[in-house]
Amino acid sequence: MAAIGPALTFCVLLLPFMGALMAPWLVSRIGGARAAWLLALFPALAFLHFCGFLPEIARGEVRTGGYAWVPSLNLSFSWFVDGLSLAFALLITGIGTLIVIYSGAYMKGHPHQGRFLSFILLFMGAMLGLVVSDSFLMLFVYWELTSIASFLLIGFDHEREAARRAALQALIVTGAGGLSLLAGLVFLWNITGVTQFSLLVHMADGLRESPFYLATLLLVLGGAFTKSAQFPFHFWLPNAMEAPTPVSAYLHSATMVKAGVYLLMRLQPVMGDTPAWEILLPFFGGITLLVGVLLGLRQTDMKLILAYSTVASLGLLVMLTGFGSSHALEAAVLYLLAHSFFKGALFMAAGAVDHEAGSRDITRLSGLRHTMPLTFAAALLAALSMGGLPLFFGFLAKEEIYAALAAGNPRAVFFTALAVIGNALMFALAFATGLKPFIGARNRTAAPVHEAPPALLLGPLLLAFLGLACALFPGLSHTYLSSPMASAVAGQAVTIDITAIPHFRTPLALSLLTIALGVLVYWQLDRVRDVTTRALDALGEGPDRGFDHFVSGLVRAAVLVTRVVQPGRLHIYVAVTFVMLALTLLVPLFAFGELPAMPVWPKDMLIEEAAFLVIALIGIFAVLRARNRLTAIVSLGIQGFAVAVIFLLFGAPDLSFTQFMVETLSVVILALVMTKLQLTLSDHRPMREALLDATIATACGLGFTLLLLKALQMPFDRVLTDFFNTYSKAIAHGANVVNVIIVDFRGTDTLGEIAVVMITGLAVLALIRVRAGRRAT
Amino acid sequence: MNTLILRTVAPALTALMLLFSVFVLLRGHNEPGGGFIGGLIAASALAIYGIAFGVGAVRRALRFHPMAIAGAGLFLATLSGLLSILFGVPFMTGLWVYPRILGLEVPLATVISFDLGVYLVVLGSIVSIALALEQDSETEIPDAEVAQAPPLEQVPLRGKRRRRDRQPRETR
């Protein structure tokens, strides 16, 4: 068992991806609804596998495993399962199973249901990999994969512009955060020298004292805050509600958006407990909590209300993670678990209502309790948990929050007040979605409404009951889930022992205050909505508009830059290229004082050498004086041939040979190009332009001359010459050293070069074709 | 280009240059020469033929598109490099065999096939560029029409006759 354990876990990590591959095929074969039940087996199996870890993890052990990936870079594909990873893994696979079943019914009859299920499973695999990753790089790869899966799912309904915009927005925001995270992880690696989270724990002290601690923290927060929709990056999450409801329930409330919180919790034992951590996290978390609930109040769409309350919940979680006491961490853990249950259930219930009643507007829906009693039960149970009423998991979390925050000092009082306001408003939001559409008079205008089918009910009911069961059997849930998870987050053994029986102390008083406030807001919901709407409108544009401005600004800047660097005129391209060449040649020579000594005129120059030099000079002169282009091209050839002969005289036959052929062919091809491009026969440049070009040409020529002179004046290193002379015949069986180097010693270079030759040929061919085609039309 | 002298000389010149290019390619191992130069010489040979008789004639004589020849060359060169992997030596290591052919020991190596690949790539790429440029400059007629009207009517040379006779089979 010990031997197959790791291999089994590895296969389980691949399971969702296999499901993703099979989904489209299965759906096309046996239909969406049945395929969904079958596909749910993949996450269900993974769930069972991870359940097998529970006893071990509860004893405080960890499960590790993995394979070497790039051993030379110290990279591995390795996983590390402790309380935190396990809790997440169970949430992902457990809720994932329910979501797949739910999607089968929700997307029934959709032409792309197979694609949808495939994306969901792809995301599941990515998220599962993310939470069990031990290696930094593996975490990053999975992190980006979740962003991509989220992009695909938000933009699933790609024919609507709003969906496309939301998808792109989510991808850009989380993608930018991903880059920031990558930089942060590289910093972590460089500071500590380790690439695995499991080893990072031992490096905590060195990391906190490092001068780069703050930079690392900010970069990591950049990743976590964008992923977990913290203010001011919160705007993408409500827009992501363009996705079908199963996606909102799964990615954008229960799992993916918690990836940022996961990362913070994972790093808490290593990076936490510093002033920067305890200022930044509660501050941004607190703002996000307030912004989330306030923006949520003005909404009437059930999904949007839930989305904003998710933003608020994520803020609360970040605030608790950064608050800096082990009690607060316990509260964060409890709230995270409770939130996954009740928010997932509420989203699925909202989806069921939308599916059956055709609307999600709470001002239009009413009296659904008669027609959808089971949905109502699920929604109400979830809302009770979200509102934090006794006997529910949410209540435990809330008690723990107040117990942790109410420490007496001014900072604690401030955050307690924040939490009370946030929770009270969330209470109102909970009942606005979980109670309001179901009570009141029966809505007569809408089409006849039926109860949702079993597949749509299974998820919300099960999750809502879990929220109750976890609180009714606190011993069980604490031993197996919350205590090991809190221990992993705190970095030391922690036991949670809160129960659902109220104690008459400060936390209970605060809870009662919260509930009272919540009831008040709920009672006056319409009036509160008007007030917040008016207040928020007065504030003007939010970051969502800002994102649009940013994107359009980026596009304008790109157009501007393109217009500058790619004006479309060959003359400018060539000029820029040669100016850069001249600068590259001349600037280092002058800047480093590496100018060559004045060369001495050779005394024993042979008459034929001199003659060919003169011919080359005549060729160049002819180029300059040529009246039409053809003469110029041929004259250039004269100069080239003269140089080739000089090569020959100096004992470089191969070089000379090649030069001859290249010169011949360039004259031929240039002449052809000329006739093809139908250039004017002669040169019409104005004096000013011609002078400028002459200057550039002279500078290039001067640069090359100086460089070659310098090279000749350096002492000649014979190592390579001797090597090739010695081994050319002995190893490569060839007497022509030049050719042996080309085809044998440095054959791989040549392979690259001929590939370039061929690609250039293809490109030229394509350009000619494009031209010819354009002329034909 | 419609000069009788060029048209008379071109076939002989082209044949000679092609032969010479192969000679240069093979002798490159021990004397000046090699695939690059050989390929350039062969390309010039075909350029001369093209100037004398037009693009269509060259294309028909080549049978394959020059880019296909270049592609085959690149494939051959890569294969020559990959072959060494089968023998457990690093990529691009030269392999030598010495078979006896007609009682004569002939050293053969992957180096030679690699060089042949270089030759073909250089030949194919340059010829395809030259032909494409030439074609557009001499006529605006698309390929098919060029094929139907070869500019060789008046020249009673055997080689060309044959080529023209073969032409109807290749109408694409």
Side-chain angles (χ1 to χ4, degrees):
Chain A
M1 189 63 205
I4 64 158
L8 197 63
T9 307
F10 183 69
C11 292
V12 164
L13 289 180
L14 290 182
L15 260 182
F17 293 112
M18 289 192 272
L21 279 179
M22 286 174 61
W25 176 76
L26 260 183
V27 169
S28 68
R29 282 301 293 267
I30 60 172
R34 261 177 295 174
W37 285 98
L38 214 57
L39 286 169
L41 284 177
F42 287 88
L45 280 176
F47 180 76
L48 288 178
H49 177 77
F50 281 108
C51 279
F53 286 21
L54 277 172
E56 246 176 281
I57 305 294
R59 285 198 301 272
E61 293 167 24
V62 292
R63 272 279 192 106
T64 56
Y67 300 97
W69 189 354
V70 190
S72 53
L73 288 178
N74 203 8
L75 287 180
S76 54
F77 184 92
S78 54
W79 56 89
F80 167 75
V81 183
D82 61 357
L84 177 61
S85 303
L86 186 65
F88 263 97
L90 289 175
L91 284 179
I92 292 160
T93 50
I95 300 183
T97 310
L98 300 175
I99 288 288
V100 169
I101 295 169
Y102 183 87
S103 309
Y106 187 82
M107 304 291 285
K108 196 170 162 189
H110 193 285
H112 296 305
Q113 195 178 13
R115 190 189 293 172
F116 182 80
L117 287 169
S118 179
F119 289 165
I120 286 267
L121 286 161
L122 170 75
F123 165 76
M124 193 186 298
M127 191 67 201
L128 190 59
L130 195 160
V131 296
V132 300
S133 291
D134 192 11
S135 138
F136 292 170
L137 193 78
M138 188 174 148
L139 174 108
F140 176 73
V141 169
Y142 280 125
W143 183 281
E144 293 296 68
L145 202 54
T146 58
S147 293
I148 293 168
S150 154
F151 167 77
L152 291 170
L153 284 166
I154 299 171
F156 183 73
D157 202 359
H158 58 86
E159 280 169 13
R160 279 187 307 116
E161 205 206 325
R164 290 202 301 273
R165 173 176 178 267
L168 208 57
Q169 190 181 49
L171 185 70
I172 289 173
V173 173
T174 55
L179 289 180
S180 166
L181 172 69
L182 179 64
L185 291 175
V186 171
F187 263 73
L188 276 181
W189 180 13
N190 272 310
I191 293 171
T192 60
V194 300
T195 57
Q196 289 172 331
F197 287 107
S198 51
L199 300 176
L200 199 61
V201 184
H202 311 298
M203 307 287 176
D205 292 333
L207 182 60
R208 288 198 194 103
E209 283 148 25
S210 161
F212 297 109
Y213 171 80
L214 190 64
T216 314
L217 179 64
L218 288 177
L219 287 170
V220 168
L221 289 186
F225 280 8
T226 46
K227 198 78 165 179
S228 282
Q230 297 298 296
F231 180 85
F233 306 113
H234 63 280
F235 54 89
W236 72 264
L237 184 54
N239 287 341
M241 294 302 132
E242 293 294 338
T245 306
V247 179
S248 311
Y250 191 39
L251 273 72
H252 303 124
S253 74
T255 56
M256 189 188 87
V257 289
K258 293 211 174 77
V261 177
Y262 166 79
L263 186 71
L264 295 178
M265 287 182 162
R266 172 62 72 212
L267 290 174
Q268 198 306 118
V270 194
M271 298 188 78
D273 209 16
T274 60
W277 180 275
E278 287 174 10
I279 291 169
L280 285 172
L281 265 66
F283 178 71
F284 279 99
I287 293 184
T288 310
L289 171 63
L290 269 189
V291 168
V293 283
L294 284 177
L295 290 173
L297 274 180
R298 71 184 292 193
Q299 304 299 333
T300 55
D301 182 328
M302 286 168 83
K303 266 178 85 175
L304 280 178
I305 296 175
L306 290 172
Y308 280 108
S309 76
T310 305
V311 171
S313 302
L314 292 168
L316 183 60
L317 283 172
V318 170
M319 183 173 117
L320 290 170
T321 309
F323 189 72
S325 75
S326 128
H327 240 73
L329 293 175
E330 290 166 27
V333 163
L334 282 176
Y335 189 73
L336 190 145
L337 293 172
H339 178 259
S340 295
F341 294 149
F342 66 66
K343 198 55 69 67
L346 274 176
F347 259 117
M348 288 199 253
V353 167
D354 187 21
H355 197 259
E356 302 304 324
S359 170
R360 296 192 306 250
D361 192 334
I362 54 166
T363 54
R364 288 175 52 202
L365 293 166
S366 66
L368 289 175
R369 70 178 182 281
H370 304 289
T371 44
M372 304 179 73
L374 288 171
T375 313
F376 175 48
L380 187 64
L381 284 176
L384 287 170
S385 182
M386 182 171 166
L389 288 167
L391 292 184
F392 287 90
F393 208 21
F395 174 72
L396 298 194
K398 204 151 290 180
E399 287 286 278
E400 195 73 42
I401 292 171
Y402 292 140
L405 293 181
N409 56 28
R411 177 168 178 266
V413 169
F414 172 72
F415 283 112
T416 311
L418 212 59
V420 168
I421 296 171
N423 278 328
L425 294 178
M426 257 197 278
F427 177 96
L429 295 180
F431 286 95
T433 49
L435 183 65
K436 197 166 183 303
F438 298 96
I439 52 170
R442 198 188 287 230
N443 199 341
R444 287 176 207 293
T445 51
V449 179
H450 307 284
E451 179 57 285
L456 285 185
L457 284 171
L458 181 70
L461 277 174
L462 203 59
L463 285 180
F465 274 114
L466 265 177
L468 188 59
C470 279
L472 290 181
F473 304 101
L476 219 55
S477 63
H478 288 334
T479 315
Y480 286 109
L481 271 182
S482 26
S483 289
M485 186 172 167
S487 306
V489 178
Q492 61 197 29
V494 173
T495 324
I496 299 180
D497 46 16
I498 191 160
T499 59
I501 301 152
H503 309 274
F504 292 98
R505 271 183 297 184
T506 339
L508 187 69
L510 288 169
S511 275
L512 291 176
L513 177 66
T514 308
I515 292 168
L517 265 175
V519 170
L520 189 71
V521 175
Y522 177 74
W523 181 44
Q524 295 289 338
L525 193 60
D526 290 330
R527 195 170 299 166
V528 174
R529 185 185 303 131
D530 288 345
V531 172
T532 43
T533 307
R534 239 175 289 141
L536 289 169
D537 284 344
L539 271 174
E541 297 187 337
D544 190 28
R545 290 278 109 212
F547 176 82
D548 283 346
H549 291 315
F550 170 73
V551 169
S552 63
L554 202 64
V555 171
R556 270 203 300 275
V559 169
L560 208 69
V561 169
T562 312
R563 211 174 283 156
V564 171
V565 298
Q566 302 205 337
R569 289 190 52 206
L570 187 63
H571 182 238
I572 295 176
Y573 292 155
V574 174
V576 167
T577 311
F578 279 100
V579 166
M580 288 317 291
L581 178 65
L583 288 178
T584 327
L585 287 169
L586 288 171
V587 168
L589 282 177
F590 281 98
F592 296 105
E594 291 282 338
L595 287 175
M598 193 61 199
V600 203
W601 189 259
K603 289 191 197 75
D604 49 352
M605 200 187 209
L606 296 174
I607 181 80
E608 62 266 31
E609 290 170 7
F612 279 108
L613 264 184
V614 171
I615 293 176
L617 285 175
I618 290 173
I620 293 174
F621 188 70
V623 173
L624 293 177
R625 297 295 302 164
R627 290 202 173 274
N628 69 47
R629 288 179 201 266
L630 197 63
T631 320
I633 291 169
V634 174
S635 310
L636 201 62
I638 296 177
Q639 182 265 350
F641 274 114
V643 172
V645 174
I646 292 173
F647 284 154
L648 197 63
L649 292 177
F650 278 83
D654 280 282
L655 192 57
S656 160
F657 237 35
T658 315
Q659 173 86 358
F660 271 122
M661 294 322 300
V662 167
E663 284 301 331
T664 312
L665 284 168
S666 2
V667 169
V668 170
I669 288 182
L670 274 177
L672 287 173
V673 168
M674 235 204 63
T675 45
K676 171 153 182 88
L677 290 185
Q678 298 170 330
L679 296 171
T680 45
L681 283 176
S682 54
D683 190 353
H684 284 305
R685 275 175 294 189
M687 198 56 194
R688 199 168 46 84
E689 219 171 286
L691 271 181
L692 185 68
D693 292 349
T695 315
I696 297 172
T698 314
C700 283
L702 186 71
F704 262 111
T705 312
L706 291 177
L707 184 72
L708 287 178
L709 281 175
K710 184 69 196 173
L712 283 177
Q713 286 167 9
M714 300 296 278
F716 186 60
D717 185 354
R718 292 198 61 89
V719 173
L720 285 177
T721 320
D722 290 339
F723 172 84
F724 286 125
N725 278 334
T726 317
Y727 293 109
S728 169
K729 190 76 189 168
I731 304 181
H733 313 289
N736 178 2
V737 177
V738 176
N739 197 51
V740 165
I741 293 174
I742 291 176
V743 297
D744 205 329
F745 284 127
R746 306 204 54 108
T748 312
D749 280 359
T750 311
L751 190 63
E753 283 157 18
I754 57 176
V756 169
V757 167
M758 180 161 167
I759 290 165
T760 313
L762 280 173
V764 172
L765 214 57
L767 282 177
I768 295 171
R769 290 261 168 90
V770 165
R771 240 189 102 78
R774 199 181 295 158
R775 205 180 300 164
T777 49
Chain B
M1 218 181 278
N2 263 325
T3 75
L4 189 61
I5 299 174
L6 187 61
R7 287 195 165 209
T8 317
V9 177
L13 202 57
T14 304
L16 210 60
M17 282 175 78
L18 282 177
L19 205 62
F20 183 64
S21 74
V22 176
F23 166 69
V24 168
L25 159 73
L26 290 179
R27 100 187 193 127
H29 205 60
N30 291 317
E31 307 283 330
F36 265 112
I37 307 174
L40 289 173
I41 294 173
S44 331
L46 292 172
I48 287 175
Y49 197 76
I51 289 169
F53 299 114
V55 177
V58 181
R59 286 204 196 281
R60 261 170 283 132
L62 278 177
R63 305 209 57 150
F64 300 105
H65 192 283
M67 250 327 154
I69 296 178
L74 192 56
F75 185 69
L76 182 65
T78 315
L79 213 61
S80 314
L82 284 176
L83 205 61
S84 59
I85 287 180
L86 290 183
F87 292 88
V89 282
F91 178 65
M92 287 298 302
T93 310
L95 300 170
W96 291 78
V97 285
Y98 302 93
R100 285 201 159 270
I101 297 169
L102 303 174
L104 195 73
E105 196 185 68
V106 185
L108 290 176
T110 52
V111 175
I112 296 169
S113 58
F114 180 77
D115 218 7
L116 187 63
V118 174
Y119 172 90
L120 292 177
V121 169
V122 172
L123 164 74
S125 305
I126 291 182
V127 168
S128 61
I129 294 173
L131 288 187
L133 285 170
E134 220 172 322
Q135 179 166 335
D136 207 54
S137 64
E138 69 178 19
T139 49
E140 294 284 312
I141 311 167
D143 269 12
E145 284 175 56
V146 174
Q148 280 161 15
L152 318 171
E153 298 295 328
Q154 311 90 343
V155 191
L157 270 176
R158 232 185 133 252
K160 263 163 267 150
R161 265 280 147 73
R162 271 205 5 242
R163 229 169 269 122
R164 209 189 58 186
D165 293 343
R166 202 165 54 203
Q167 174 242 319
R169 271 186 284 141
E170 289 181 32
T171 43
R172 269 178 268 173

